[in-house]
Amino acid sequence: MKTLLLSHDVTFRKQAERRFTTKISNNTSVSSRLSNFTKSPTWFHDLPLEVLLKIFSNFSEKELRKNIIPVCQKWRYAALKPQLWKCFEVVGGKIPLNRICYEINRFPYLQIVVLKSVHDPKQIIRQVCRCLSNLKELTIKDCEEIPEKTLINVLYSCRNLEKLNLSGTPFRGKKVFEDISLLPNLKSLNLAKNPYITIQKLTTCVLNCTGLEEFRLSKWVSLDEILKFDDQDVSPILLNLSSSLRSLTLDCSNLTTNSFNKIFTCNCLERLSLHRAKHLDGEMFAKLHRYFPALTVLKVKHASQISDANIVQLFTEGEEIMENLQTLDLSGCWQITA
């Protein structure tokens, strides 16, 4: 009996030792795994390239250049991937031309190019022609005069242009205006402050741009003092664009009531800017809500016939329409006192 008890005790002791040994070994393996994890954590800069590209796609080009590229080599490599760069902007002449051309060649997926106050944009424009056939928006603003041939090459090379802004950049030649009208997807056109534009060229261009949604011709200056942009000139343009225009900016120095009546036929307008509208009648202004139900931006400058009573009438009778108005600019309307 004693022998049996001893053997049972030994057996129990061995089983207990076996369980204890297993427990220790399991704890050791867990602790070793934890130590390995703490030794090599996965930080943000260790993310795979495809994950970084997905994250960086939410940043603008300016943010990439300023905040992402300087962080580390891996982020720099990811942030400079061509597919992340859709917009390229050059202001002034501080950046060397060869550097600008290199950047344009480096980012073939660019959809927007903006050149502002560039001393000699011809070389940059040629590089755009070579590398960016799928360009959507091109702005050449306040630059030196562009040769007709250079501008024509852009229009032939970038056939998918939807927005063309040549404000403040002079150019000559009739063929340019003809080629602008041949752009099949053009929706926005800005020809402001071009001293060489003529009524004939403008009419040729705009009358053939049937899908134009935004048209800007403010602060227009002509070298020919006899040439005036009057009611007879503006009427066919506005009639042609009345069903498509969403935004209109116009210098109204020589326009009378007849032209304003034509403007009021553009019932789809969301943004209306009338500069030097000295012949705009106050009663006509007070009825704007009847013609533009989707208006969100209204700028009427130097309209000497608009009074406080006209404004009150506009916002009283058109209260529901005017609630959607986000911007109102009546600068230069000297009869307004409030």
Side-chain angles (χ1 to χ4, degrees):
M1 185 69 178
K2 187 175 181 180
T3 305
L4 289 174
L5 287 172
L6 285 174
S7 63
H8 178 74
D9 187 47
V10 170
T11 303
F12 178 78
R13 191 183 299 115
K14 288 182 178 180
Q15 290 176 352
E17 289 176 354
R18 194 180 299 114
R19 292 193 193 98
F20 183 72
T21 305
T22 305
K23 187 175 181 180
I24 291 176
S25 62
N26 289 338
N27 288 339
T28 304
S29 61
V30 171
S31 62
S32 63
R33 287 198 298 270
L34 287 173
S35 63
N36 290 335
F37 178 79
T38 55
K39 287 180 181 178
S40 57
T42 301
W43 299 107
F44 192 72
H45 61 264
D46 292 325
L47 291 173
L49 178 61
E50 56 271 16
V51 177
L52 287 177
L53 291 176
K54 184 67 175 178
I55 296 172
F56 292 165
S57 64
N58 297 300
F59 291 87
S60 67
E61 288 77 5
K62 185 177 181 180
E63 291 170 332
L64 288 175
R65 193 180 296 276
K66 185 177 180 180
N67 302 324
I68 303 299
I69 290 178
V71 173
C72 64
Q73 288 295 328
K74 185 171 183 179
W75 281 27
R76 176 184 175 84
Y77 175 77
L80 288 175
K81 283 293 184 180
Q83 58 265 39
L84 294 179
W85 293 75
K86 305 298 182 184
C87 178
F88 185 77
E89 183 173 354
V90 179
V91 180
K94 295 182 179 180
I95 306 176
L97 288 177
N98 57 349
R99 177 65 183 178
I100 296 172
C101 293
Y102 170 77
E103 295 287 343
I104 292 175
N105 183 63
R106 187 179 188 180
F107 302 122
Y109 301 107
L110 288 173
Q111 295 185 356
I112 302 172
V113 171
V114 179
L115 307 178
K116 293 182 180 179
S117 304
V118 177
H119 176 66
D120 186 8
K122 294 191 293 293
Q123 185 176 344
I124 303 174
I125 295 173
R126 294 191 191 103
Q127 186 72 347
V128 169
C129 295
R130 296 187 195 102
C131 305
L132 305 177
S133 59
N134 293 319
L135 194 67
K136 301 292 184 184
E137 299 182 15
L138 176 61
T139 297
I140 309 174
K141 185 176 181 181
D142 297 328
C143 298
E144 285 192 353
E145 183 174 344
I146 304 175
E148 180 185 15
K149 185 177 180 180
T150 302
L151 196 52
I152 288 175
N153 288 338
V154 173
L155 300 176
Y156 273 108
S157 302
C158 306
R159 300 297 295 169
N160 296 318
L161 277 178
E162 297 177 1
K163 181 177 181 179
L164 180 61
N165 183 351
L166 300 173
S167 173
T169 300
F171 61 91
R172 307 170 188 248
K174 182 179 179 180
K175 194 173 188 315
V176 175
F177 293 90
E178 295 175 353
D179 291 342
I180 289 175
S181 65
L182 296 177
L183 293 172
N185 301 321
L186 190 64
K187 296 180 180 179
S188 175
L189 179 62
N190 189 341
L191 299 175
K193 298 184 288 185
N194 185 350
Y196 303 114
I197 197 171
T198 64
I199 296 300
Q200 183 181 4
K201 294 175 182 177
L202 181 65
T203 306
T204 301
C205 175
V206 177
L207 289 184
N208 293 307
C209 295
T210 54
L212 209 60
E213 296 180 1
E214 180 179 15
F215 179 58
R216 298 173 65 92
L217 194 67
S218 61
K219 299 180 181 178
W220 176 51
V221 181
S222 175
L223 294 180
D224 185 359
E225 296 181 356
I226 301 175
L227 182 63
K228 300 294 182 182
F229 193 64
D230 55 21
D231 297 336
Q232 186 177 357
D233 304 316
V234 77
S235 294
I237 296 174
L238 293 174
L239 287 175
N240 185 67
L241 301 176
S242 60
S243 61
S244 62
L245 269 185
R246 299 291 184 275
S247 177
L248 176 64
T249 301
L250 202 61
D251 192 315
C252 306
S253 303
N254 302 309
L255 303 185
T256 64
T257 304
N258 291 330
S259 292
F260 292 119
N261 285 329
K262 297 295 189 302
I263 292 173
F264 291 168
T265 63
C266 303
N267 304 124
C268 298
L269 281 177
E270 299 173 4
R271 298 177 296 276
L272 176 62
S273 299
L274 303 176
H275 299 271
R276 303 187 187 94
K278 57 185 179 182
H279 298 298
L280 177 62
D281 182 72
E283 290 297 324
M284 187 177 291
F285 173 82
K287 298 175 182 178
L288 282 176
H289 63 280
R290 300 181 183 179
Y291 306 101
F292 308 118
L295 200 64
T296 58
V297 176
L298 177 61
K299 298 181 181 181
V300 181
K301 300 183 179 182
H302 301 95
S304 57
Q305 300 185 41
I306 298 177
S307 64
D308 294 337
N310 301 134
I311 297 176
V312 172
Q313 182 181 351
L314 173 63
F315 281 87
T316 302
E317 296 180 0
E319 182 177 1
E320 294 183 2
I321 303 297
M322 292 297 107
E323 283 182 353
N324 300 323
L325 201 65
Q326 300 174 3
T327 302
L328 177 63
D329 186 353
L330 299 174
S331 56
C333 301
W334 59 271
Q335 287 200 49
I336 300 175
T337 58

